[in-house]
């Protein structure tokens, strides 16, 4: 669990009530058919005629790592793995049985364990034989699993690799955060995955005992959502689960932390983290009764949190230099414990300023409380949502029911009758006053169990204050008048969203060509090109603008071109208040996404026809009127400074640099900015340079792709009004050499680096070879990509039990290169042998292609392709690909016949051209030697 505090979701608050023990007081939703077998197993069935053929089955076992004893670390998760290995009805293993049904792990079945519960999931169709098979599998998991010691010895290697995949800076930081947030509870001591020692040492008998203790019918629930024969399903559940023996459960470990009157001060730091932050947490007990008073308490909690967030958000204008944000969140910590957390993002060295802002905001809320208008707005929102309850309920589809009932059952709650719930919310909300909310705010802020923590990037110097110093600061603020807030009022927001200035972008369409398949190409007066396709049945206008303004343009390091593009995307209009253009875009509900690659700068958006003109106006304004500001540049500079404050020899950065060197040789232009570069950003000269680079990027000629239901005359008129007159590079001006994509050097290159902090080895391999592109060959490559992935996974995980997670992708790009990427982690001592096995798979293509595997993948491809040809998103992508490749729209027609000549022989023939194991750059990362290890966190 990460430090991000779990928010009480509005959906969860609206749909559920805590604790199923009060089922009599609250009526269950009648759409949920519930039952309980004599042995205590409960089941929940949601049947719907509008669910199609989709079927979801889940077995919830209410046990997780929090229930483990001191000598059982990781056992709950190990049991989750082992129940698939052998069972009474399937001694060969449930996993193998499900694979024989055509079910694939991750797609059709999966499982997961956390602190509180273990979940088994099956997703399939609603055919009777599938329903019966799924219930049978879950019943075997529930009470008939066998855990042979020999199978455990093999599986513990897989679990060790799963543990290894979780290692890294994120896990180390999460561990430190959890220790602060959950101090006084068992959560920090019960990592779900366990430890390396516990995974290696837990005997099979320990797993069997845990399974026997906790996998009891009264501790389980079965959830089924689908268009099913309910009577038949109930009978099948009784037959499959009815023989499970009931038994009393062991005593559970307490989930709530022990609260104290204390102020803890903690440092959270890691050599590879770039985070710079100050946080403050108050912990307290909460009331989760399931009655009318409990409803009222939870509504008060919701309003109090959201009203505080409004005050904090509107105070953003009062933040001092070095403090870039301040937020507040309420979260759950246990069955009856919650927290209020303040967090401030700060510049390197500004932690004291961030702490003072948190204490100042707490004192402001303590004295003034929240604003009455915010409370009334929240109450109005509650009433508005509540009145829509039946309408929302009527619209709930398969995914909605699956998500809702799953959340309810996992949390052991009641999905309340919507009409009863609606009346109770109305009554509770009508009784809440501003005084009630402010009382709750002060109760939270004055809770005696407190923690202050600070995060600094890398291992940079950080001096923590003492308890006495923090207390003195609080007392001083309590005696002083509060400074006035610099707030952006709602009325001011409206003023700050003016009409955009008149844009001098009028121009003409100087040429029109039909390029096939109903697609037109318009050449604009400024030299830009617009490719237009009228799709009257589509529901949105799709827009892409692409130029050759990639980050490998000559004249500056790549990071500078990336910075210029980023700053241009978020720039303000000259002469207007800061953020005016962003607020205009938000008010008009238009958004342009930006992506910069080595060779291209791409803007993309989807809007309704009514917002199409606004979108073009926004794009034009960004191109001709906007300029980066010193404020925005300073913010980006702070972010880059935090990243550079990390230890420069972090394993990830070093491995990435080594991979680049293997693939392309030395690339000085790819260096990361140093301290002098960052200092230069904060000067007027630095801003001017960024502005000049942004102007150069925006002056590159553009090709637009537009499709949608708007009529051609409208699109043509708007293109002339907003696009045709955007200034681009003059024809008589010498254009600099365009950016070009780097080409990987030929041959096999490998590097071995002993630089890792964790007891983990990793392999990353990039491959590239020249290969002629065509749509048909690209499709066959996609098939081969999935086959190679399956072969690698079979070899490395199932046969050798050496990995847990594997990433592999093989693509034939339109630039006529076959590109591959492979990555996995493993035990350091096995890394070389596993890589040898992986390379053997790569070298073995196409000899390892059997017809059964090819036929299966071809069937999947044909099925997927039949859907793609009807999908407007896919067709729009193919239009861009076709024009960029051929200069016309032929791919739209050809794609309708892509699978016509797709055979096993055609795929095998293409594989003959591959050299997957020969054209590779490989970086192996291993742990540092004992004498060289440095502290990681």
């Amino acid at each position: 669990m990460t430090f991000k505090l779990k928010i009480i979701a509005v959906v969860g608050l609206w749909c559920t009530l805590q604790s199923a023990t009060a089922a009599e007081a609250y009526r269950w939703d009648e759409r949920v058919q519930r039952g309980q077998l004599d042995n205590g197993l409960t089941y929940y069935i949601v049947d719907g005629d509008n669910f199609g053929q989709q079927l979801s089955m889940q077995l919830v076992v209410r046990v997780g790592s929090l229930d483990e004893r001191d000598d059982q670390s990781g056992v709950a998760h190990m049991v989750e793995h082992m129940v698939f290995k052998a069972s009474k009805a399937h001694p060969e293993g449930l996993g193998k049985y499900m694979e024989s049904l055509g079910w694939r792990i991750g797609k059709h079945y999966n499982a997961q364990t956390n602190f509180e519960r273990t979940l088994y999931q099956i997703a399939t169709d609603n055919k009777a034989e599938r329903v019966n098979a799924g219930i049978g599998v879950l019943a075997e998991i529930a009470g008939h699993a066998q855990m042979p010691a020999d199978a455990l010895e093999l599986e513990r290697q897989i679990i060790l690799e799963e543990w290894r995949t979780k290692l890294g800076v994120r896990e180390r930081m999460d561990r430190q955060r959890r220790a602060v947030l959950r101090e006084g509870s068992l959560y920090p001591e019960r990592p779900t995955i366990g430890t390396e020692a516990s995974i290696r040492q837990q005997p099979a008998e320990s797993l069997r005992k845990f399974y026997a203790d906790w996998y009891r019918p009264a501790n389980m629930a079965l959830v089924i959502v689908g268009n099913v024969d309910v009577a038949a399903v109930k009978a099948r559940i009784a037959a499959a689960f009815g023989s499970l023996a009931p038994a009393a459960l062991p005593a559970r470990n307490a989930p709530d932390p022990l609260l104290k009157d204390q102020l803890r001060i903690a440092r959270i730091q890691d050599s590879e983290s770039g985070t710079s932050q100050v946080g403050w947490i108050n912990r307290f007990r909460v009331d989760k009764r399931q009655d009318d008073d409990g409803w009222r308490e939870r509504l008060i909690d919701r309003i109090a949190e959201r009203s505080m967030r409004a005050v904090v958000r509107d105070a953003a204008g009062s933040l001092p230099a070095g403090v870039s944000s301040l937020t507040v969140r309420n979260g759950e910590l246990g069955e009856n414990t919650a927290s209020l957390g303040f967090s401030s993002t700060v510049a390197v060295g500004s932690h004291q300023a961030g702490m003072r802002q948190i204490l100042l905001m707490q004192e402001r809320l303590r004295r003034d409380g929240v604003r009455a208008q915010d409370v009334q707005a929240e109450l109005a929102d509650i009433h508005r949502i509540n009145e829509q309850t039946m309408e929302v309920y009527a619209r709930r589809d398969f995914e909605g029911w699956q998500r809702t009932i799953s959340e309810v059952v996992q949390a052991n709650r009641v999905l309340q009758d919507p009409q009863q719930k609606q009346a109770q919310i109305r009554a509770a909300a009508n009784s809440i006053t501003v005084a009630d909310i402010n009382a709750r705010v002060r109760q939270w802020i004055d809770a005696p169990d407190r923690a202050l923590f600070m995060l600094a990037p890398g291992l940079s110097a950080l001096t923590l204050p003492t308890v006495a110093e923090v207390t003195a600061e609080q007392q001083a603020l309590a005696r002083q008048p509060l400074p006035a807030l610099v707030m952006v009022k709602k009325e001011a927001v409206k003023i700050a969203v003016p009409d955009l200035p008149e844009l001098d972008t009028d121009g003409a369409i100087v040429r029109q060509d039909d390029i096939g398949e109903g697609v037109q190409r318009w050449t604009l007066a400024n030299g830009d090109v617009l490719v237009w396709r009228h799709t009257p049945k589509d529901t949105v206008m799709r827009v892409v603008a692409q130029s050759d303004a990639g980050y490998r343009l000559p004249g500056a390091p790549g990071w500078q071109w990336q910075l210029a593009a980023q700053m241009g995307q978020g720039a303000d209009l000259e002469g207007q208040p800061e953020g005016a253009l962003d607020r205009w875009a938000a008010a008009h509900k238009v958004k342009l996404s930006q992506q910069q690659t080595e060779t291209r700068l791409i803007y993309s958006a989807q809007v309704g026809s009514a917002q199409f003109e606004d979108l073009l106006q926004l794009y034009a304004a960004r191109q001709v009127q906007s300029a980066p500001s010193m404020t925005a540049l300073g913010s980006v500079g702070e972010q880059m400074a935090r990243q550079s404050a990390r230890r420069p020899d972090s394993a990830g950065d070093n491995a990435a640099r080594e991979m680049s060197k293997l693939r392309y040789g030395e690339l000085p232009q790819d260096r990361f900015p140093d301290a002098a570069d960052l200092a230069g950003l904060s000067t007027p000269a630095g801003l001017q340079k960024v502005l000049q680079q942004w102007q150069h990027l925006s002056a590159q000629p553009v090709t637009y792709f537009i499709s949608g239901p708007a009529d051609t005359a409208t699109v043509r008129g708007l293109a002339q009004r907003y696009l045709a007159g955007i200034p681009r590079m003059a024809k008589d001006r010498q254009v600099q050499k365009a950016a070009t994509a780097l080409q990987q050097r030929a041959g096999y290159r490998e590097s071995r680096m002993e630089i890792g902090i964790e007891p983990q080895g990793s392999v990353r391999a990039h491959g590239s070879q020249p290969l002629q592109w065509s749509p048909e060959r690209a499709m066959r490559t996609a098939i081969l990509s999935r086959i190679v992935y399956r072969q690698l996974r079979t070899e490395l995980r199932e046969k050798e039990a050496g990995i847990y997670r594997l990433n592999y992708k093989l693509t034939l790009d339109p630039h006529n290169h076959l590109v591959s990427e492979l990555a996995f982690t493993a035990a350091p001592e096995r890394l070389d042998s596993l890589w040898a096995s992986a390379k053997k798979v790569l070298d073995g293509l196409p000899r390892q292609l059997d017809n059964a595997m090819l036929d299966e993948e071809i069937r999947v491809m044909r099925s997927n392709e039949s859907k793609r040809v009807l999908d407007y998103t896919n067709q729009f992508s193919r239009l861009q690909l076709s024009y960029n490749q051929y200069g016309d729209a032929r791919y739209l027609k050809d794609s309708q016949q892509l699978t016509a000549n797709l055979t096993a022989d055609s795929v095998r023939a293409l594989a003959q051209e591959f050299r997957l194991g020969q054209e590779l750059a490989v970086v192996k990362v291993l742990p540092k030697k004992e004498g060289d290890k440095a502290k990681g966190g």
Side-chain angles (χ1 to χ4, degrees):
M1 179 176 293
T2 66
F3 171 68
K4 293 180 181 177
L5 302 178
K6 291 194 291 184
I7 307 303
I8 301 176
V10 174
V11 172
L13 180 63
W14 247 247
C15 292
T16 62
L17 290 168
Q18 193 71 26
S19 173
T21 59
E24 294 303 320
Y26 288 91
R27 296 195 304 270
W28 266 85
D29 188 322
E30 63 180 10
R31 282 287 302 272
V32 181
Q33 301 196 44
R34 301 173 296 121
Q36 186 175 61
L37 303 184
D38 292 341
N39 58 15
L41 179 107
T42 55
Y43 60 84
Y44 306 82
I45 304 170
V46 182
D47 173 38
D49 293 336
N50 62 335
F51 290 170
Q53 295 182 332
Q54 300 175 94
L55 178 69
S56 168
M57 291 181 278
Q58 298 182 354
L59 178 67
V60 180
V61 187
R62 296 190 175 95
V63 65
S65 61
L66 196 64
D67 296 302
E68 295 167 350
R69 304 306 170 200
D70 291 342
D71 61 347
Q72 293 179 321
S73 178
V75 166
H77 175 252
M78 295 178 77
V79 167
E80 174 222 302
H81 275 249
M82 288 301 296
V83 295
F84 291 100
K85 296 306 167 186
S87 73
K88 181 178 180 181
H90 298 284
E92 79 285 3
L94 283 172
K96 290 184 178 179
Y97 168 67
M98 286 189 282
E99 293 286 330
S100 74
L101 298 176
W103 292 351
R104 299 286 178 258
I105 187 170
K107 181 178 181 181
H108 299 103
Y109 70 96
N110 215 333
Q112 52 185 270
T113 305
N114 64 19
F115 291 105
E116 297 89 9
R117 59 109 182 103
T118 307
L119 178 66
Y120 300 93
Q121 304 160 292
I122 295 176
T124 182
D125 59 60
N126 65 340
K127 294 178 182 176
E129 61 270 23
R130 298 289 190 175
V131 176
N132 290 337
I135 292 174
V137 164
L138 295 177
E140 290 290 293
I141 290 172
H144 303 296
Q146 300 168 347
M147 301 183 192
D150 56 346
L152 175 60
E153 292 312 306
L154 185 64
E155 191 64 19
R156 77 167 79 242
Q157 301 306 315
I158 300 294
I159 299 170
L160 275 168
E161 296 318 312
E162 182 179 359
W163 167 80
R164 239 180 277 277
T165 64
K166 298 179 185 298
L167 300 178
V169 59
R170 177 180 296 180
E171 189 275 336
R172 296 194 299 269
M173 293 293 284
D174 284 349
R175 191 190 318 143
Q176 295 180 67
R177 290 179 175 119
R178 191 181 306 120
V180 174
L181 184 63
R182 303 273 190 171
E183 191 265 347
S185 76
L186 283 176
Y187 281 92
E189 302 173 29
R190 296 289 190 269
T192 300
I193 192 70
T195 65
E196 181 180 17
S198 69
I199 296 169
R200 290 186 183 279
Q201 297 169 8
Q202 288 292 351
E205 184 55 38
S206 178
L207 274 66
R208 296 187 195 111
K209 175 169 176 37
F210 189 88
Y211 180 80
D213 284 344
W214 294 103
Y215 278 61
R216 292 295 181 177
N219 200 38
M220 300 180 189
L222 180 65
V223 182
I224 297 178
V225 181
N227 185 6
V228 296
D229 182 337
V230 174
V233 167
K234 288 182 178 180
R236 174 62 175 150
I237 292 172
F241 287 87
S243 62
L244 301 183
L249 298 175
R252 292 188 183 274
N253 293 324
D256 291 295
L258 178 64
L259 303 186
K260 301 177 182 179
D261 187 345
Q262 60 181 347
L263 173 59
R264 295 173 290 134
I265 299 178
R267 176 198 312 270
I268 298 177
Q269 210 164 359
D270 188 274
S271 62
E272 296 185 331
S273 170
T275 304
S276 188
Q277 193 178 66
V278 179
W280 181 285
I281 294 171
N282 288 73
R283 305 191 302 178
F284 40 82
R285 299 295 182 211
V286 290
D287 185 350
K288 293 189 176 182
R289 290 173 296 169
Q290 186 164 353
D291 54 25
D292 290 346
D293 289 338
W295 253 125
R296 188 174 185 275
E297 291 297 305
R298 284 185 289 282
L299 288 178
I300 290 174
D301 288 348
R302 176 186 185 271
I303 297 169
E305 182 206 15
R306 293 171 69 90
S307 297
M308 279 193 296
R309 286 164 59 184
V311 173
V312 171
R313 181 178 59 247
D314 288 349
S318 300
L319 298 179
V323 181
S324 56
S325 71
L326 180 63
T327 59
V328 63
R329 293 288 187 273
N330 175 257
E332 297 179 351
L333 293 180
E335 286 186 359
N336 300 291
T337 310
S339 65
L340 182 70
F342 290 86
S343 177
S344 178
T345 301
V346 298
V348 178
S350 296
H351 291 78
Q352 296 299 321
M355 180 192 75
R356 190 176 192 281
Q357 283 305 115
I358 290 174
L359 298 180
L360 178 62
M361 179 53 67
Q362 290 176 345
E363 181 60 28
R364 189 180 302 280
L365 289 167
R366 186 180 289 112
R367 289 192 208 178
D368 301 339
V370 297
R371 299 181 299 238
Q373 63 265 34
D374 292 326
V375 174
Q376 296 305 323
E378 291 300 326
L379 283 168
D381 198 44
I382 287 172
H383 283 296
R384 179 184 60 80
I385 296 174
N386 192 41
E387 294 309 311
Q388 297 173 351
T389 294
M390 298 310 297
E391 179 184 347
V392 172
Y393 176 76
R395 291 200 308 264
R396 189 179 293 160
D397 57 9
F398 174 83
E399 286 78 15
W401 273 108
Q402 181 187 22
R403 180 176 59 255
T404 300
I405 191 65
S406 177
E407 290 173 354
V408 167
V409 174
Q410 287 182 48
N412 202 16
R413 299 175 177 174
V414 173
L415 184 60
Q416 192 182 0
D417 174 84
Q419 290 183 329
Q420 184 190 56
K421 174 193 66 179
Q422 191 176 44
Q424 289 172 330
I425 290 177
R426 187 183 299 118
N430 284 336
S431 72
I432 294 172
T433 67
V434 176
D436 294 328
I437 302 304
N438 279 320
R440 182 59 45 85
V441 169
R442 294 185 180 100
Q443 174 191 342
W444 287 348
I445 290 175
D446 292 332
D449 191 301
R450 299 152 293 156
L452 167 69
F453 57 94
M454 294 183 176
L455 297 82
L459 297 179
S460 56
L462 174 62
T463 301
L464 297 178
T466 65
V467 172
E469 289 170 338
V470 175
T471 302
E473 182 72 21
Q474 288 176 309
Q475 292 171 348
L477 288 171
R479 293 191 299 266
Q480 299 170 6
L482 296 177
L485 284 177
V486 180
M487 292 173 49
V488 180
K489 298 181 180 179
K490 294 183 179 179
E491 294 78 11
V493 170
K494 294 180 181 178
I495 297 172
V497 185
D499 290 333
L500 293 185
E502 191 68 22
L503 300 175
D504 185 18
T505 54
D506 284 349
I509 295 175
V510 299
R511 178 171 175 172
Q512 175 175 322
D513 302 288
D514 293 324
I515 58 174
E517 302 308 305
V519 180
Q520 297 179 9
R521 177 180 59 207
W522 301 335
T523 303
L524 311 184
N526 61 355
D528 289 351
V529 170
L530 193 156
V531 179
W532 158 244
R533 186 188 188 206
H534 185 212
T535 51
K537 294 183 179 180
D538 199 354
T539 58
V540 295
M541 297 296 295
R542 305 173 190 273
V543 179
V544 162
Q546 65 180 35
S547 71
D548 293 332
Y551 62 80
R552 292 203 180 278
L553 281 170
W559 71 265
Q560 289 188 7
W561 291 117
Q562 290 174 308
L563 174 62
Q566 180 182 347
M567 295 298 298
Q569 171 71 350
D572 293 310
L573 292 179
E574 293 182 280
Q576 292 195 2
E578 186 175 335
L581 188 53
D582 284 340
R583 288 192 290 273
W584 185 93
H588 289 76
K589 299 181 180 179
V590 291
K591 181 181 179 181
L592 270 170
S593 298
Q594 182 194 77
Q595 177 189 12
Q596 191 178 33
T597 68
E598 291 180 335
T599 58
R600 284 183 176 164
L601 182 61
I602 302 170
Y603 295 94
S604 59
Q606 292 184 19
V607 295
S609 297
Q611 284 81 43
F612 180 56
E613 180 173 2
D614 292 332
L615 177 67
L616 297 190
Q617 192 175 5
L618 173 65
Y619 172 80
R622 287 232 184 267
Q623 295 289 297
V624 303
Q625 287 281 333
S626 63
S629 69
M630 185 61 79
T631 300
L633 187 59
S635 176
V636 173
E638 284 185 9
Q639 183 180 11
M640 296 174 71
R642 288 195 296 271
Q643 292 299 316
S644 65
R646 296 182 307 172
R647 193 170 58 187
D649 62 339
S650 68
D653 289 346
N654 268 332
R657 285 192 290 268
E658 183 68 12
M659 175 60 77
S660 178
K661 189 186 302 183
L662 291 182
R663 297 180 73 189
Y664 312 120
E666 294 287 350
L667 296 172
Q669 69 270 33
D670 282 355
R671 67 176 180 83
F672 194 78
D674 57 24
D677 293 323
L678 296 176
L681 285 178
S682 60
T683 66
L687 177 63
Q688 184 62 28
K689 185 171 184 178
V690 171
L691 175 58
Q692 290 173 349
Q693 288 182 295
W694 163 240
Q695 290 170 340
H696 185 85
L697 293 176
S698 61
Q700 299 291 324
V702 170
T703 299
Y704 302 96
F705 296 92
I706 301 177
S707 74
D711 63 84
T712 299
T714 297
V715 176
R716 185 182 179 92
L718 294 175
Q720 292 178 116
R721 170 69 186 86
Y722 294 109
L723 305 180
I726 296 176
R728 303 298 185 194
M729 285 185 173
K731 294 181 180 179
D732 59 350
R733 178 177 167 187
Q734 185 176 4
V735 179
Q736 291 183 337
K737 183 179 179 182
T740 55
L742 295 174
Q743 302 300 330
Q744 183 167 316
R745 296 184 293 176
Y748 182 95
R749 290 176 174 81
E750 180 179 313
S751 181
R752 184 183 184 89
M753 308 177 74
E754 295 180 345
I755 59 174
I757 294 175
E758 304 284 4
Q760 174 193 72
S762 68
V763 169
R764 185 170 292 276
H766 284 270
S768 179
Q769 71 175 79
L771 196 67
Q772 186 64 41
W773 181 89
S774 73
E776 294 80 6
R777 289 159 70 87
M779 175 176 285
R780 293 163 192 162
T781 301
I783 290 173
L784 288 167
S785 179
R786 290 196 293 268
I787 289 175
V788 175
Y789 169 80
R790 289 173 59 179
Q791 291 176 337
L792 287 167
R793 193 176 185 281
T794 298
E795 187 69 26
L796 301 182
R797 174 165 175 164
E798 297 174 17
K799 289 185 179 179
E800 300 200 32
I803 64 164
Y804 176 73
R805 186 174 291 117
L806 169 81
N807 292 317
Y808 183 78
K809 187 176 183 181
L810 181 67
T811 56
L812 181 57
D813 71 31
H815 302 294
N816 301 315
H817 276 85
L818 180 69
V819 180
S820 64
E821 183 172 1
L822 167 65
F824 64 84
T825 59
E829 64 273 14
R830 300 191 64 191
L831 198 66
D832 290 326
S833 64
L834 290 169
W835 170 242
S837 297
K839 194 169 183 304
K840 184 177 179 181
V841 171
L842 299 178
D843 288 331
L845 198 77
R847 294 188 303 274
Q848 296 173 346
L849 295 176
D850 63 83
N851 283 334
M853 187 179 295
L854 282 168
D855 289 343
E856 177 186 351
E857 292 296 343
I858 288 172
R859 282 195 301 272
V860 172
M861 180 62 74
R862 289 183 187 278
S863 174
N864 292 340
E865 186 61 24
S866 67
K867 301 171 186 175
R868 291 193 191 104
V869 296
L870 302 175
D871 179 69
Y872 285 111
T873 300
N874 182 269
Q875 290 297 296
F876 187 59
S877 297
R878 288 182 173 179
L879 172 61
Q880 298 167 59
L881 182 58
S882 184
Y883 186 81
N884 288 330
Q885 190 73 14
Y886 305 121
D888 56 38
R890 73 182 70 173
Y891 190 11
L892 296 181
K893 180 179 180 180
D894 294 346
S895 64
Q896 299 176 22
Q897 304 296 324
L898 273 181
T899 60
N901 297 316
L902 183 60
T903 63
D905 287 341
S906 70
V907 177
R908 188 177 282 107
L910 178 64
Q912 297 280 355
E913 302 181 47
F914 289 2
R915 303 191 302 275
L916 299 184
Q918 302 168 40
E919 305 291 339
L920 285 175
V922 183
V923 174
K924 297 177 181 176
V925 175
L926 294 144
K928 293 181 180 181
K929 294 179 180 178
E930 266 320 303
D932 298 331
K933 285 187 178 179
K935 183 180 179 182

